[in-house]
Amino acid sequence: MCARFTLTVGVAEVAAALGVDPSAIEAAGHRPRYNIAPTQHHFIVRERQEERQALAARWGLVNRWATDAKRAGAQINARSEDVPRRRAYRAAWEKGRRCLVPADGFFEWTGPKSARQPVWFHRPEGGLILLAGLYESWRAGADDEWRRTFTVLTTGANETVAPIYDRMPVILSPDDAAEWVYPGNAPDAVWELLRPAPESLLVGEAVSRRVNSVRNDDPACLAIEPEAELATHQGALFS
């Protein structure tokens, strides 16, 4: 699963990479983030009338028919194989409520529960990764405002991630991302995009255990752990 991710770059760089007006990224509340956690606020990108829109959203999909937001923490990820048939995701899938979740890395963990070691997966050269998502809007009652929520789709792990975990987020190339958010594409037309990323796209680095606490969200979270890095080269970390 994808239980934490990062987006460490500023508004201008994100806007340029996404083809979105910087003011929209600012309005969505973006700032550099080093440990984005479930139920926290982030933003998504969708397309309407041939224009990309950046919209504030909370991580953890809450269905329109839900009576409260308690399910958000349980619906941060959706198995791509399940979305056409699971009630929680079927409406968003069939109605084309597809989105991009901008990130520049995500975390998985290895080691015993008493000493969980976070591993940060990201592009070797840095830069954005575009996660495939679904979104819904929800409100507690008729007089409440609509609140946008999202989930990240997952698929089987590629060879880079598999030694740590058997699932990974669906990461879209720029061309695939354009197909994913295009409203005119039927679900069947984008189904084949829900596949593991190429092995060469990502590297994994053992980073600070500060990531283990959602209270920590600063550059120190991504400090490389020298001993853990050595274990990586020896094969112990990925054993």
Side-chain angles (χ1 to χ4, degrees):
M1 66 184 298
C2 173
R4 308 276 182 82
F5 62 91
T6 62
L7 184 56
T8 65
V9 295
V11 168
E13 186 173 344
V14 173
L18 294 173
V20 175
D21 190 310
S23 64
I25 304 292
E26 290 180 331
H30 172 64
R31 59 180 174 82
R33 299 289 308 277
Y34 303 86
N35 192 11
I36 301 169
T39 75
Q40 292 183 352
H41 289 279
H42 186 51
F43 70 98
I44 60 171
V45 175
R46 70 178 183 183
E47 183 176 318
R48 287 293 182 274
Q49 297 179 341
E50 300 185 358
E51 181 177 73
R52 286 189 173 183
Q53 302 174 338
L55 304 167
R58 185 186 184 198
W59 186 15
L61 188 141
V62 182
N63 301 103
R64 295 190 176 210
W65 38 261
T67 57
D68 59 50
K70 291 180 180 179
R71 291 292 298 167
Q75 295 184 167
I76 61 169
N77 293 156
R79 292 175 63 93
S80 56
E81 305 95 311
D82 295 341
V83 292
R85 57 186 177 83
R86 281 198 59 187
R87 184 184 181 217
Y89 311 116
R90 189 168 60 239
W93 173 250
E94 292 177 350
K95 300 296 185 181
R97 290 192 280 270
R98 302 185 299 265
C99 64
L100 307 176
V101 181
D104 59 8
F106 64 93
F107 298 102
E108 291 296 349
W109 279 260
T110 187
K113 290 184 178 180
S114 59
R116 297 294 279 166
Q117 173 62 59
V119 179
W120 183 45
F121 290 97
H122 60 95
R123 290 180 179 271
E125 72 283 5
L128 260 61
I129 56 175
L130 302 176
L131 311 183
L134 297 173
Y135 70 93
E136 288 280 16
S137 295
W138 171 86
R139 61 181 178 178
D143 296 330
D144 293 308
E145 65 180 21
W146 287 97
R147 305 173 191 181
R148 195 171 290 106
T149 64
F150 70 92
T151 189
V152 173
L153 272 63
T154 68
T155 186
N158 65 14
E159 293 185 15
T160 302
V161 178
I164 299 296
Y165 198 69
D166 62 1
R167 305 287 297 181
M168 67 181 297
V170 174
I171 301 175
L172 302 168
S173 70
D175 288 344
D176 288 349
E179 292 296 314
W180 178 252
V181 297
Y182 179 59
N185 282 336
D188 289 348
V190 296
W191 177 254
E192 65 176 17
L193 304 180
L194 303 178
R195 57 180 179 261
E199 179 185 359
S200 60
L201 182 71
L202 303 171
V203 295
E205 293 183 300
V207 293
S208 173
R209 289 176 182 168
R210 286 173 54 78
V211 174
N212 295 348
S213 171
V214 298
R215 293 188 296 271
N216 299 322
D217 184 9
D218 53 55
C221 289
L222 300 185
I224 304 301
E225 291 288 334
E227 293 183 4
E229 184 178 31
L230 177 62
T232 299
H233 293 312
Q234 294 173 341
L237 179 62
F238 293 91
S239 62

